[in-house]
Amino acid sequence: MKPAELIQITGHQALTLNARRSITILWHNAHMQGVDVNKDYTIEIDDLKPDDHKGYEMVEEAIISLMQTILTVKLANGKTRRVQFLGGNDLDDPDRPAGILNYSFDKRLVEVLKDSAIWGKIALPVLMAFSSKYSVSLYENVSQWTGLSRKTFQDMSLEEFRQIIGVENGKYPAFGALNKHVIKNVIMEVNGLASFSVSIVPIKTGKKVTHIRIGWWPKSKEEIDAAWREVNRSKIGRKARISGQTIQVTEPYPSQSRMVRNARRELRNQIE
């Protein structure tokens, strides 16, 4: 479960794919250890790597990026609170066989997150399967909306959409470019891997696209099973498979972190 304040974020445009996944893993890990103000948490470095055998530099890069990125939260009393995604931390030497990250969150962030009323249900194996940082952001946002009763779509301005999925300022300014390079890809990935389906429909004011409508609906058991099988397959050839093409690939089962393996077992039990 991920609190909405870590989903509905602004200022995360510069975060990489691994950094966006890492903040979810770090918060999930903290939640499992009991979230409290001024508390430090521990996690194995391998749990933050793209796989078990490499990626220490990517973990270090993600940690620095999260420390340098400001999360803006609108409080119920109308005030604006700004905090770093990640507080102070200690990172073990990369040569240690089982390195540990000791980390913390700003107490002002913890106060907000502990009282969060809206949570998104995030499946870590699905999160780790995405190849696009934009897919991660769309998946997490729609995950919280799927829990809303009597609502199946969300309208927003094009600029608001760009903000929630973290498109960099000035990148793909025209809808045509945004649709070609971002929207089509994220729809394909989310629909191919998530337990729900999404659609993104442009809304015009005159001749110009000014808003979009994000729709969502639950998948059938057969569709969920197919998505789960794809999550467990190699990423090699995935784009061709989920776009409707067929490629035969023989690839050893990809290595995964302990946390992701545990999450896979939990999700498998829920499906069965």
Side-chain angles (χ1 to χ4, degrees):
M1 302 296 289
K2 185 174 181 180
E5 287 79 5
L6 283 182
I7 298 175
Q8 300 171 337
I9 58 179
T10 58
H12 66 304
Q13 289 87 348
L15 292 180
T16 63
L17 169 63
N18 199 47
R20 296 190 192 194
R21 291 190 296 211
S22 293
I23 190 59
T24 297
I25 295 172
L26 290 171
W27 175 255
H28 169 74
N29 180 69
H31 178 72
M32 298 298 291
Q33 295 179 25
V35 180
D36 200 359
V37 177
N38 298 323
K39 182 174 182 178
D40 287 344
Y41 311 94
T42 61
I43 189 172
E44 292 185 9
I45 296 174
D46 281 350
D47 287 338
L48 297 171
K49 292 180 181 178
D51 60 53
D52 287 340
H53 305 294
K54 60 182 180 179
Y56 181 92
E57 295 80 7
M58 296 180 67
V59 173
E60 194 169 32
E61 178 186 277
I63 290 171
I64 294 173
S65 295
L66 292 172
M67 293 182 70
Q68 294 175 338
T69 303
I70 302 300
L71 170 67
T72 302
V73 182
K74 294 294 185 181
L75 303 179
N77 60 10
K79 293 182 179 180
T80 298
R81 178 168 293 180
R82 295 179 178 86
V83 294
Q84 294 168 290
F85 264 100
L86 185 63
N89 56 83
D90 298 313
L91 185 66
D92 271 346
D93 188 276
D95 294 329
R96 292 193 61 177
I100 296 293
L101 170 69
N102 295 291
Y103 65 99
S104 63
F105 293 109
D106 188 297
K107 65 179 182 180
R108 291 176 178 80
L109 176 59
V110 174
E111 289 172 356
V112 173
L113 298 181
K114 286 182 65 177
D115 296 330
S116 179
I118 303 176
W119 293 68
K121 191 173 183 180
I122 309 298
L124 290 182
V126 175
L127 190 77
M128 298 302 288
F130 289 126
S131 64
S132 166
K133 61 183 181 181
Y134 306 126
S135 297
V136 168
S137 296
L138 180 66
Y139 168 70
E140 291 189 341
N141 275 277
V142 179
S143 290
Q144 65 161 323
W145 295 333
T146 56
L148 300 176
S149 59
R150 301 182 181 179
K151 188 169 185 179
T152 58
F153 65 89
Q154 176 75 33
D155 289 347
M156 64 185 67
S157 70
L158 198 56
E159 185 55 35
E160 288 173 329
F161 174 73
R162 292 170 60 88
Q163 289 180 2
I164 69 164
I165 66 171
V167 177
E168 297 85 337
N169 292 332
K171 195 170 185 178
Y172 312 130
F175 175 78
L178 183 68
N179 185 49
K180 177 181 178 181
H181 297 289
V182 177
I183 294 177
K184 288 183 177 179
N185 290 330
V186 299
I187 290 177
M188 180 179 63
E189 275 208 314
V190 173
N191 285 344
L193 301 171
S195 61
F196 50 81
S197 295
V198 298
S199 64
I200 298 178
V201 179
I203 301 174
K204 290 185 176 181
T205 301
K207 296 183 178 181
K208 185 178 181 180
V209 175
T210 57
H211 293 72
I212 58 101
R213 171 170 293 180
I214 303 176
W216 58 87
W217 60 94
K219 288 181 176 177
S220 66
K221 184 180 184 304
E222 292 75 16
E223 291 172 326
I224 292 176
D225 289 344
W228 176 242
R229 287 194 297 271
E230 185 57 48
V231 167
N232 283 279
R233 296 181 71 177
S234 167
K235 291 183 179 180
I236 299 176
R238 173 167 291 159
K239 184 175 181 180
R241 291 193 300 270
I242 63 179
S243 64
Q245 303 176 35
T246 301
I247 290 182
Q248 296 297 325
V249 179
T250 56
E251 173 83 4
Y253 189 83
S255 58
Q256 302 146 15
S257 71
R258 171 183 52 82
M259 182 177 291
V260 173
R261 288 194 297 269
N262 291 340
R264 286 181 184 277
R265 284 195 292 270
E266 293 175 8
L267 190 56
R268 186 183 301 113
N269 291 336
Q270 293 176 14
I271 293 174
E272 293 174 351

